[in-house]
Amino acid sequence: QVQMVESGGGLVKSGDSLRLSCAASGRTFGHAVVGWFRQAPGKEREFVAGVGTSGYGSYYSASVEGRFTISIDNAKTTVYLQMNSLKLEDTAVYYCAATPYQGSRQEWQYNYWGQGTQVTVSS
């Protein structure tokens, strides 16, 4: 059970930017993909973005394509989600998670999860 810890959430205004971080217990990630999911009140948890940890690319949900960027640091200990042009509908608890399946967008395929960090976008 790898420990994953999210940070960087907060309260921002519509149009602002925010960067979330996901650290894997100070170690390198031992999974093919680290992804971000989010869950808004009254809504299902949805895939946001994923990034390969060993040379694979990144991929996004249509709702954030062009606004969010997922990346992994050189040491492969932290995954980031840069969120630009934030909208009210981006308000949610954001979770990082890991899966061995490259390209996965399915919640059930992710084996390890962080505790979540709250992102609130207001007008």
Side-chain angles (χ1 to χ4, degrees), residues 16-33:
D16 284 356
S17 297
L18 199 62
R19 189 179 75 163
L20 306 182
S21 299
C22 174
S25 301
R27 307 180 183 90
T28 59
F29 292 100
H31 303 80
V33 166

Side-chain angles (χ1 to χ4, degrees), residues 14-15 24 39 42 66-67 70-71 83 99 105 108 118 120 123:
S14 180
Q39 187 166 28
R67 297 189 298 120
I70 188 171
S71 61
M83 305 184 292
T99 180
R105 301 170 183 262
W108 61 269
Q118 177 72 49
T120 302
S123 60

Side-chain angles (χ1 to χ4, degrees), residues 82-111:
Q82 178 66 44
M83 305 184 292
N84 298 327
S85 301
L86 283 162
K87 306 174 180 179
L88 265 60
E89 52 263 44
D90 294 319
T91 295
V93 176
Y94 283 71
Y95 300 89
C96 65
T99 180
Y101 303 109
Q102 176 65 26
S104 175
R105 301 170 183 262
Q106 303 271 358
E107 178 182 359
W108 61 269
Q109 292 183 323
Y110 285 73
N111 308 106

